[in-house]
Amino acid sequence: MTSAQPNTFRPPIVTVMGHIDHGKTSLLDKIRSTDVTRREAGGITQHIGAYQVQGITFIDTPGHAAFCDMRTRGASITDIAVLVVAATEGIMPQTKECIEHIKKNDIPFIVAMNKMDLEGASPDKVKGQLVEAGFTPEEYGGQTAVVPVSAKTGQGIDKLLELIKLNAEILELKSYPDRPLQAFIIESKLDKSRGPVASLIVQEGTLNLGDQVYADDILCKVKAIVDDKGQSLKSAGPSTPVKVLGFELVPCVGSLVTPEKRLPSPTSQCKVKYEYDEDNPKLKIILKADVEGTLEALKRSFSDDVYILSEGVGAITDNDVFMAETGNAQIFAFNVNTPKQILKLAEKNQVKVFQSKIIYEIIENIQSQVLKMLEPTIDETILGEGIIKAEFKIDKVRIAGIQCTKGEITKGDQIHLKRDGKIIKDTKVEGIRHGKDIIDKVKSGSDCGMTFKPYIDFKLNDVIISYNKT
């Protein structure tokens, strides 16, 4: 059986990588501004994680997650990488991490030496560091293309795009629109009005409106296909980035989309609900340490109630922050220096970061959170308890008939609503009545009518617990 023949070359898929604050986002924005059609269509308003400019598909996802995580069963979504290095700072820790990914995956790459418009730019320093890293620039007789650019002025952007296209020609990237579909999820979310939405890039085959496909094991009946300019499409061919509606659940970033169901890839970045059994919750963390020995010592100190989403030696990176946001995890870092930009990024993305140079502070913080997770009331003093024995309505307001069984419950108290032994809602006592009288509190052995704010959908035999934080 012969495979389908290509009928044209496909656009290269390019991932832009680099150290935090070296100008990846600014460079991508400048490249997008060269797209006249996009500007005439109303500006850069659509964000689907990738876009096409001058016959090139750029992956626009945080950090270098798209490059290092979007590998499924030996296939890579990235054809060419652009490594952004600030000429004012040179190669930094995350730049080295990116270089390791480039080496490991044997991906052709171009160095975009950014911030050439600034004082202090030192291109020779950057080129020397590249030689030390094992990549000799073309000017020094090597094969690594280094393009001086400025995301601010636009210097070198045209040359960078030309080099990308030249590399694509050398790679002879073929389009196979008639092959079975193969696409990769690069972003996903749950939209309040539209349900699960995923951004993907088609690598082979064609995605059509109405198709039934799978993101690993999650079914999708394709209801809508939208391109990076916001236009609705009937189909999308190789190298086309699109947003797709119709998934039954939110698919994992990095999932492979095909016509057949398959087991999830171990490299896909899943949402929390896909990571472990929600009936047995664990504290999700990303762990960073100064050296491997300390990292191992920390890991051995944790109980089975701690789920390590990711671990590593060295400073916290933007990729750690984005992974923590995706996985709803916290970041714990021992004896490492975290750049201010990373801390600001974490704050912006509502990711908690705990840093310490004392190992026991990290262990105790995690242990404390585990105890709180396993027993939510561990730091509370119970003031009173009651059982909901009846329900009344006055002026359409639901009133709970309470039998106070322990202590006393006072107006304004914080309340847990407990059902079948589990706390299902928190609220406060809004008002208490005994007969026609409005009272401030009810004691054990007495009955009353009680209202709550915020509203809770109580049922008969629910238990209410009044408490104070200790």
Side-chain angles (χ1 to χ4, degrees), residues 114-379:
N114 194 24
K115 303 190 179 183
M116 288 296 293
D117 57 300
L118 298 181
E119 289 186 17
S122 180
D124 290 335
K125 173 186 173 182
V126 174
K127 292 172 186 176
Q129 290 175 327
L130 285 169
V131 172
E132 292 175 3
F135 296 102
T136 305
E138 291 174 339
E139 301 95 299
Y140 294 176
Q143 296 183 333
T144 302
V146 180
V147 185
V149 300
S150 169
K152 184 176 180 180
T153 67
Q155 172 192 343
I157 298 295
D158 288 342
K159 184 177 180 181
L160 177 62
L161 295 175
E162 287 173 8
L163 272 176
I164 292 172
K165 292 175 183 177
L166 178 61
N167 274 264
E169 288 179 11
I170 294 171
L171 291 171
E172 295 185 344
L173 302 172
K174 303 283 198 313
S175 173
Y176 293 91
D178 298 326
R179 281 186 175 179
L181 176 71
Q182 180 168 295
F184 292 88
I185 303 288
I186 57 173
E187 283 187 355
S188 60
K189 66 177 182 178
L190 182 63
D191 188 283
K192 290 182 179 179
S193 59
R194 296 182 291 179
V197 179
S199 298
L200 57 83
I201 295 181
V202 177
Q203 190 173 44
E204 289 185 351
T206 302
L207 180 70
N208 300 296
L209 203 61
D211 280 354
Q212 179 171 300
V213 296
Y214 293 88
D216 288 338
D217 58 347
I218 296 175
L219 175 65
C220 175
K221 295 180 180 178
V222 181
K223 296 178 181 177
I225 304 173
V226 182
D227 69 10
D228 58 317
K229 299 175 180 65
Q231 302 297 315
S232 295
L233 305 177
K234 291 184 178 180
S235 63
S239 293
T240 306
V242 290
K243 184 178 289 184
V244 177
L245 279 66
F247 288 93
E248 288 189 337
L249 297 170
V250 177
C252 300
V253 170
S255 295
L256 182 65
V257 180
T258 64
E260 299 177 353
K261 182 187 294 189
R262 60 176 63 204
L263 292 174
S265 163
T267 62
S268 60
Q269 293 182 13
C270 298
K271 297 292 184 183
V272 178
K273 63 183 177 182
Y274 302 120
E275 289 171 357
Y276 61 88
D277 184 1
E278 286 291 346
D279 292 331
N280 297 289
K282 296 184 179 183
L283 182 69
K284 298 169 289 297
I285 70 169
I286 288 176
L287 188 63
K288 304 300 290 271
D290 54 349
V291 295
E292 192 70 37
T294 310
L295 187 68
E296 291 302 317
L298 279 165
K299 287 164 57 181
R300 285 195 298 270
S301 70
F302 301 150
S303 70
D304 291 338
D305 300 303
V306 178
Y307 181 92
I308 301 176
L309 187 64
S310 174
E311 62 185 73
V313 172
I316 302 169
T317 67
D318 57 351
N319 202 41
D320 294 323
V321 174
F322 291 118
M323 185 178 291
E325 181 190 20
T326 300
N328 194 24
Q330 301 176 48
I331 300 175
F332 288 85
F334 172 75
N335 201 28
V336 298
N337 295 318
T338 305
K340 290 181 180 179
Q341 304 98 309
I342 294 292
L343 294 176
K344 288 180 180 178
L345 183 67
E347 183 179 358
K348 178 183 177 183
N349 289 276
Q350 298 181 325
V351 171
K352 292 182 179 179
V353 177
F354 183 86
Q355 303 181 88
S356 180
K357 294 186 177 181
I358 302 173
I359 194 168
Y360 292 108
E361 286 187 352
I362 290 179
I363 295 171
E364 288 173 2
N365 185 295
I366 289 175
Q367 288 176 341
S368 175
Q369 290 199 55
V370 167
L371 284 173
K372 178 66 176 173
M373 178 187 66
L374 298 176
E375 180 48 69
T377 62
I378 196 168
D379 59 349

Side-chain angles (χ1 to χ4, degrees), residues 446-465:
S446 299
D447 297 335
C448 70
M450 192 174 292
T451 55
F452 308 101
K453 190 174 183 179
Y455 169 80
I456 52 173
D457 186 18
F458 60 81
K459 295 183 178 180
L460 297 185
N461 296 316
D462 283 351
V463 174
I464 62 167
I465 303 171

Side-chain angles (χ1 to χ4, degrees), residues 403-409 439 441-447:
Q403 181 185 73
C404 188
T405 58
K406 184 186 295 184
E408 61 182 32
I409 304 172
I439 58 177
K441 66 177 63 176
V442 61
K443 296 184 178 181
S444 177
S446 299
D447 297 335

